[in-house]
């Protein structure tokens, strides 16, 4: 089944307009979701839309409202919201170009693939892609997506373009307050050298397929085991924790680093897949 475009419109650079389609670049993967069940009957719990003092209401009686003061709302019809006209609903205008390194990773949110909408758009699309690649720049603009206007960055991605939504400045917390109590001391050279050696031993090219969601896999095994047992009794397995490290000191750190470096006999990338916690 062909992928459905998440957004259709045009990228505009000055007087040049390029019809494009945007597709989501990610998927849900192995995530396991649960339903809430009424234990005595084994039936799924459903939820009703209710109004205090009135009770359950029909879906067609529900409208969206914005609270302007306690208990007072401005009511808006879907048609009114949809009719709000801003240019970025159908046009993504490229207004600035920056070096990739200028954008802090904290601001990146979600990736999307961008492709030309038809053959007539391909020439201009390729020109934009190669111009960005040659200049080693990222294009910035704003785009309306699903009820909000997003700040976005666009850069070359193979034969296409990659669009990444960015968080606005007021959506990102500054880290200084979390790091205020960390002393500005330099570690001892021997400790730093040992840590550097350990990093070097475990260095390898990034390959996302080398990692798996161990938590989802463990949950799936538990579900299979419980389904086969046909028992309501809880299945609890002991999990080894990291232990108490509150008493760690420099001597323990030195010994741990030396032991870690000594145990690393092979490069990080092995035949067995490394797995990543959820």
């Amino acid at each position: 089944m062909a992928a459905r475009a998440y957004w259709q419109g045009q990228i505009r650079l000055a007087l040049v307009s390029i019809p494009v389609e945007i597709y989501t670049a990610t998927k849900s993967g192995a995530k396991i979701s649960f339903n809430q069940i009424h234990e005595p009957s084994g039936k799924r719990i459903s939820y009703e839309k209710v109004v205090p003092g009135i009770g359950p209401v029909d879906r067609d009686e529900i409208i969206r409202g914005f609270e302007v003061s306690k208990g007072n709302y401005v009511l808006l019809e879907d048609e009114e919201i949809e009719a709000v006209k801003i240019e970025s609903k159908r046009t993504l205008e490229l207004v600035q170009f920056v070096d990739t390194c200028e954008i802090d990773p904290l601001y990146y949110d979600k990736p999307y693939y961008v492709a030309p909408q038809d053959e007539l758009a391909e020439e201009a699309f390729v020109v934009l892609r190669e111009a960005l690649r040659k200049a080693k720049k990222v294009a910035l603009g704003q785009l309306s997506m699903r009820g909000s206007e997003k700040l976005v960055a666009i850069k070359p991605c193979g034969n296409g373009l990659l669009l990444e939504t960015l968080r606005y400045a007021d959506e990102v917390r500054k880290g200084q307050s979390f790091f205020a109590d960390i002393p500005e001391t330099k570690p001892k050279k021997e400790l730093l050298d040992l840590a550097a050696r350990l990093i070097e031993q475990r260095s390898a090219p990034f390959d996302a397929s080398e990692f798996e969601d161990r938590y989802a896999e463990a949950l799936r095994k538990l579900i299979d085991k419980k389904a086969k047992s046909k028992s309501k009794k809880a299945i609890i397995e002991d999990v080894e924790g990291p232990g108490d490290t509150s008493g760690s000191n420099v001597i323990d750190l030195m010994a741990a680093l030396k032991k870690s470096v000594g145990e690393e006999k092979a490069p990080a990338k092995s035949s067995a897949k490394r797995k990543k916690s959820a």
Side-chain angles (χ1 to χ4, degrees):
M1 183 176 178
R4 184 178 178 182
Y6 186 84
W7 184 91
Q8 288 183 319
Q10 57 185 5
I11 291 177
R12 189 166 68 199
L13 176 59
L15 298 178
V16 179
S17 294
I18 310 169
V20 297
E21 295 179 333
I22 294 176
Y23 300 87
T24 55
T26 59
K27 55 184 180 179
S28 59
K31 183 179 179 181
I32 293 176
S33 59
F34 293 98
N35 296 310
Q36 290 190 322
I37 305 298
H38 180 236
E39 187 174 12
S41 65
K43 294 183 179 180
R44 182 174 174 177
I45 295 173
S46 60
Y47 296 90
E48 291 182 307
K49 300 285 186 180
V50 298
V51 176
I54 296 177
V57 297
D58 293 332
R59 184 177 294 273
D60 58 9
E61 295 179 315
I62 299 173
I63 191 172
R64 284 190 274 187
F66 180 83
E67 190 171 32
V68 291
S69 61
K70 186 67 175 178
N72 295 313
Y73 301 87
V74 172
L75 304 182
L76 294 170
E77 299 279 355
D78 289 343
E79 292 80 3
E80 292 179 286
I81 297 173
E82 184 61 29
V84 172
K85 296 186 182 298
I86 56 174
E87 193 172 8
S88 60
K89 290 187 88 170
R90 283 288 170 258
T91 300
L92 167 55
E93 183 165 6
L94 306 182
V95 297
Q96 186 180 351
F97 298 88
V98 301
D99 293 333
T100 305
C101 61
E102 290 183 40
I103 304 176
D104 191 305
L106 280 169
Y107 289 94
Y108 285 107
D109 185 22
K110 191 174 180 181
Y112 297 84
Y113 294 128
V114 183
Q117 200 171 100
D118 50 42
E119 290 185 4
L120 294 176
E122 287 179 1
E123 182 179 15
F125 182 91
V126 170
V127 169
L128 172 62
R129 183 194 69 201
E130 292 308 306
L132 287 172
R133 185 167 279 147
K134 183 177 181 180
K136 297 181 180 179
K137 296 286 184 180
V138 173
L140 299 181
Q142 288 178 283
L143 175 67
S144 289
M145 303 173 75
R146 302 291 172 92
S148 63
E149 189 174 45
K150 300 286 188 181
L151 174 63
V152 302
I154 293 181
K155 58 187 175 184
C157 177
N159 287 337
L161 293 170
L162 181 70
L163 178 148
E164 293 178 274
T165 55
L166 302 176
R167 297 179 178 90
Y168 288 102
D170 61 359
E171 296 178 293
V172 176
R173 290 179 176 177
K174 302 301 180 184
Q176 288 86 336
S177 60
F178 301 103
F179 308 145
D181 295 332
I182 302 175
E184 296 183 8
T185 55
K186 297 291 184 181
K188 290 185 177 180
K189 185 178 183 304
E190 187 177 359
L191 288 172
L192 194 58
D193 289 344
L194 284 168
R197 283 177 58 192
L198 185 57
I199 290 172
E200 178 61 30
Q201 289 173 346
R202 293 196 176 193
S203 293
F206 175 69
D207 181 357
S209 65
E210 288 290 311
F211 298 85
E212 292 178 359
D213 187 337
R214 296 181 299 179
Y215 183 65
E217 185 178 333
L219 273 180
R220 195 170 285 107
K221 288 181 180 178
L222 172 62
I223 292 168
D224 290 342
K225 185 183 293 186
K226 195 74 181 280
K228 290 176 182 177
S229 72
K230 297 181 180 179
S231 170
K232 292 186 176 181
K233 185 177 179 181
I235 300 174
I236 308 296
E237 298 179 353
D238 291 332
V239 179
E240 291 185 7
D244 182 15
T245 58
S246 58
S248 296
N249 54 42
V250 174
I251 297 176
D252 295 330
L253 178 58
M254 180 73 76
L257 282 171
K258 285 183 176 179
K259 185 177 180 181
S260 297
V261 170
E263 287 179 350
E264 292 293 323
K265 302 295 184 183
K269 190 171 182 178
S270 61
S271 56
K273 280 193 175 184
R274 293 165 295 181
K275 299 177 182 179
K276 181 180 179 182
S277 298

